[in-house]
């Protein structure tokens, strides 16, 4: 069955450093990989999307890579700030109006 | 901007009660989804709908039903609430024309069943 794995342990980093979150998947050939941010007690918010034929995507301080051979995506936040503290979810889809499959998320804590 | 609203942020019900959770989206999206989210288990899909009056079971439909009488509204129904249905419930919508399946979520309803 399809499986998405994200680090279940919280990631603690210092302000100003680059945070790197990992998303691994098995038994899946996604056309799209997406990253969402979720704050406590709130719904997830879409951040960034990368297509299967793209290696890297950037948006301001965010960068996503997608390696379909390794079946892995890395999500980077550069110059991290305490306001970046949240849970980050990765999600996969085959596209064309279908469901998303979500990972369980990784909690990021950026400390002063 | 897409806006998805849910009828309540917090809800407390008693075991055996019938519970209605309402979700409304204002972007004319065809697809709507109901998830529950529990610590360590992530988002689990309960039901989804691709069109008015259409519904499909997700991964954990037992104990739930849904209704979609209008395109903008998707309701989740707990016929007889049980304590193991205490959870955060999230509604989302998406437009199949976007091809990417990006979903837009509501703020969530924290349901407690006593």
């Amino acid at each position: 069955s399809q499986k998405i794995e994200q680090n279940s342990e919280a990631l603690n980093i210092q302000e100003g450093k680059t945070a790197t979150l990992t998303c691994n998947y098995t038994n899946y050939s996604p056309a799209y990989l997406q990253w969402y941010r979720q704050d406590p007690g709130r719904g997830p918010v879409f951040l960034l999307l990368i297509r299967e034929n793209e290696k890297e995507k950037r948006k301001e301080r965010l960068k996503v890579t997608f390696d379909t051979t390794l079946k892995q995506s890395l999500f980077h936040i550069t110059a991290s700030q305490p306001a970046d503290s949240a849970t980050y979810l990765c999600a996969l889809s085959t596209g064309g109006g279908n469901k998303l499959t979500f990972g369980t998320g990784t909690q990021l804590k950026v400390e002063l | 901007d897409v806006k998805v609203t849910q009828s309540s942020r917090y809800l407390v019900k008693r075991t055996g009660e019938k519970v209605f959770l309402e979700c409304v989206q204002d972007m004319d999206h065809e697809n709507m989804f109901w998830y529950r989210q529990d610590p360590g288990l992530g988002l689990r899909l309960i039901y989804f709908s691709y069109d008015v009056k259409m519904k499909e079971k997700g991964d954990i439909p037992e104990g739930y039903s849904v209704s979609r009488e209008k395109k903008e509204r998707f309701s989740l129904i707990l016929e007889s609430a049980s304590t193991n249905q205490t959870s955060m419930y999230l509604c989302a919508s998406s437009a199949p024309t976007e091809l990417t399946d990006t979903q837009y979520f509501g703020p969530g309803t924290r349901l407690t069943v006593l």
Side-chain angles (χ1 to χ4, degrees), chain A residues 4 36 44 48 59 67 72 76 81 91-92 104:
Chain A
I4 303 175
Y36 290 75
L48 208 54
K59 180 182 176 183
D67 188 326
Q72 181 182 77
H76 305 273
Q81 306 164 0
L92 307 180
T104 53

Side-chain angles (χ1 to χ4, degrees), chain A:
Chain A
S1 62
Q2 299 166 352
K3 195 172 180 182
I4 303 175
E5 288 185 352
Q6 294 185 254
N7 284 348
S8 57
E9 290 184 17
L11 177 64
N12 296 328
I13 65 166
Q14 260 191 325
E15 183 180 21
K17 302 290 186 184
T18 296
T20 299
L21 285 69
T22 305
C23 175
N24 294 298
Y25 60 93
T26 55
N27 298 323
Y28 209 125
S29 296
Y32 303 96
L33 189 145
Q34 308 185 26
W35 285 88
Y36 290 75
R37 170 186 171 136
Q38 186 174 23
D39 292 292
R42 312 299 262 178
V45 175
F46 170 72
L47 293 176
L48 208 54
L49 173 147
I50 188 165
R51 293 171 170 76
E52 61 179 335
N53 59 353
E54 296 176 319
K55 295 291 185 188
E56 183 179 298
K57 200 82 167 280
R58 291 175 185 261
K59 180 182 176 183
E60 297 173 352
R61 294 185 296 112
L62 308 180
K63 184 177 86 171
V64 173
T65 64
F66 194 10
D67 188 326
T68 54
T69 301
L70 289 179
K71 295 187 183 295
Q72 181 182 77
S73 174
L74 298 178
F75 177 77
H76 305 273
I77 306 175
T78 58
S80 59
Q81 306 164 0
D84 295 325
S85 298
T87 296
Y88 292 86
L89 307 170
C90 75
L92 307 180
S93 75
T94 54
N98 289 310
K99 300 176 290 181
L100 285 177
T101 302
F102 283 89
T104 53
T106 298
Q107 185 179 13
L108 172 67
K109 293 180 183 176
V110 181
E111 297 162 341
L112 293 169

Side-chain angles (χ1 to χ4, degrees), chain B residues 87-105:
Chain B
S87 185
M88 172 69 121
Y89 289 87
L90 291 158
C91 173
S93 71
S94 70
T97 51
E98 278 192 18
L99 299 180
T100 61
D101 303 323
T102 298
Q103 291 187 9
Y104 301 88
F105 284 82

Side-chain angles (χ1 to χ4, degrees), chain B residues 1 21 27 40 47 63 65 91 100 103 105 111:
Chain B
D1 280 349
L21 302 181
M27 281 302 292
Y47 267 98
S65 62
C91 173
T100 61
Q103 291 187 9
F105 284 82
L111 173 67

